[in-house]
Amino acid sequence: MAEVGSEEVARDPEVRALRAANKRLAQELDILKKALAIFAQPTP
């Protein structure tokens, strides 16, 4: 098994897919946080 952070691990298709999914989920979370801030504002 390759060490974490090694070039071999970085080329592993599963690791690449998981990193892409993680990035996408982080972006979705950021969008949801912004939407929550907008909808949580009191209406006049």
Side-chain angles (χ1 to χ4, degrees):
M1 180 173 206
E3 291 183 34
V4 174
S6 73
E7 191 174 320
E8 184 178 338
V9 170
R11 285 185 280 159
D12 185 347
E14 184 178 9
V15 172
R16 292 176 60 113
L18 289 171
R19 287 182 178 166
N22 189 33
K23 183 177 179 180
R24 187 185 72 249
L25 289 172
Q27 290 171 340
E28 289 177 10
L29 179 60
D30 189 43
I31 290 167
L32 289 171
K33 285 180 181 180
K34 290 176 183 178
L36 180 60
I38 291 169
F39 290 114
Q41 294 176 353
T43 55

